[in-house]
Amino acid sequence: SQKIEQNSEALNIQEGKTATLTCNYTNYSPAYLQWYRQDPGRGPVFLLLIRENEKEKRKERLKVTFDTTLKQSLFHITASQPADSATYLCALESSGTYKYIFGTGTRLKVLA
Amino acid sequence: NAGVMQNPRHLVRRRGQEARLRCSPMKGHSHVYWYRQLPEEGLKFMVYLQKENIIDESGMPKERFSAEFPKEGPSILRIQQVVRGDSAAYFCASSFSGTGARTDTQYFGPGTRLTVL
């Protein structure tokens, strides 16, 4: 069955450093992958979408890569700030449908 | 421009009661999705609706759960005879074009936290 893995352990990094979060998947060939941010007690907020034929996508301090050979996406936040502290979810399109399957998320904490 | 609205934000029910969760999509959006999130688990797709139509309910339990999106008014997720295992956060999302637009962004509401005693 389709499976998405995100590191369930929290990631703590120092302010100003680059945070890198990983999303691995198996039994999948998604055409699209999305990253969301979720703060405690709130709904997810869309950040970026990347297509299978795009290796990299950037938006301000955010960068996403999509390696269909490794079946992995990396999410980078450069010059991280305490305000970036949140849980980050990856979501993969399920088999050519409109449905996205979500990972469990990785909690990021940026230390001042 | 209001975002996706959900109410109530918190709902407490006793076992056997009914829970009704409401979702008003963003203005101009006619596609609604419902998800359930358990602690330490990912968002699980439940159902996708357009106005007056259920498009895909493959993620929704066959019994006790139902959803609707009437021509007028909010989308409703209804859980009958709730059990403790129904305790979770329920999120609604809306999008502009839905099916056929696989890159369409889903905008999420703040969620309803259901607690079953």
Side-chain angles (χ1 to χ4, degrees):
Chain A
S1 62
Q2 298 168 330
K3 195 173 177 184
I4 304 174
E5 286 185 354
Q6 291 186 260
N7 194 343
S8 58
E9 291 182 16
L11 176 64
N12 294 333
I13 65 163
Q14 209 61 40
E15 182 177 9
K17 300 291 185 185
T18 296
T20 299
L21 285 66
T22 305
C23 177
N24 295 303
Y25 58 93
T26 56
N27 300 324
Y28 247 126
S29 294
Y32 305 95
L33 186 151
Q34 299 185 3
W35 282 88
Y36 287 78
R37 169 185 173 139
Q38 186 173 22
D39 291 283
R42 307 189 75 164
V45 175
F46 171 79
L47 296 175
L48 279 167
L49 176 143
I50 187 166
R51 294 168 169 77
E52 61 178 342
N53 60 351
E54 295 176 319
K55 297 295 182 192
E56 183 180 295
K57 198 88 171 272
R58 290 175 186 262
K59 179 183 174 183
E60 298 173 353
R61 293 184 297 111
L62 309 180
K63 184 177 88 171
V64 171
T65 63
F66 193 6
D67 189 325
T68 55
T69 301
L70 291 178
K71 293 188 180 296
Q72 180 181 79
S73 175
L74 298 178
F75 177 79
H76 306 272
I77 306 176
T78 58
S80 59
Q81 305 164 0
D84 295 327
S85 298
T87 296
Y88 291 86
L89 310 172
C90 72
L92 279 69
E93 187 213 20
S94 174
S95 305
T97 72
Y98 49 82
K99 284 190 288 195
Y100 279 81
I101 309 298
F102 284 80
T104 54
T106 298
R107 203 174 323 145
L108 171 68
K109 188 168 183 180
V110 181
L111 306 169
Chain B
N1 192 10
V4 177
M5 297 171 66
Q6 289 187 250
N7 67 80
R9 294 293 307 276
H10 300 273
L11 182 61
V12 179
R13 285 288 177 265
R14 295 191 180 279
R15 280 181 298 169
Q17 291 184 320
E18 178 180 286
R20 278 186 183 237
L21 288 62
R22 294 175 186 77
C23 169
S24 296
M26 283 182 70
K27 188 175 181 180
H29 287 190
S30 57
H31 303 265
V32 165
Y33 311 80
W34 284 93
Y35 295 84
R36 177 162 63 178
Q37 187 175 41
L38 292 165
E40 308 306 322
E41 291 191 19
L43 287 160
K44 303 290 186 193
F45 168 82
M46 297 181 72
V47 62
Y48 162 46
L49 309 104
Q50 294 178 20
K51 286 280 186 183
E52 300 184 278
N53 283 305
I54 296 175
I55 307 302
D56 184 339
E57 55 183 350
S58 60
M60 200 157 65
K62 294 282 187 286
E63 297 179 358
R64 303 188 298 107
F65 285 73
S66 62
E68 62 176 12
F69 189 15
K71 189 176 179 182
E72 302 288 339
S75 174
I76 307 284
L77 179 68
R78 183 181 177 208
I79 311 172
Q80 295 178 290
Q81 299 174 351
V82 295
V83 300
R84 289 219 174 99
D86 296 332
S87 296
Y90 292 84
F91 289 96
C92 160
S94 73
S95 68
F96 179 67
S97 43
T99 304
R102 293 154 67 191
T103 59
D104 207 26
T105 298
Q106 294 185 18
Y107 295 86
F108 282 81
T112 293
R113 272 134 195 96
L114 172 66
T115 301
V116 180
L117 302 177

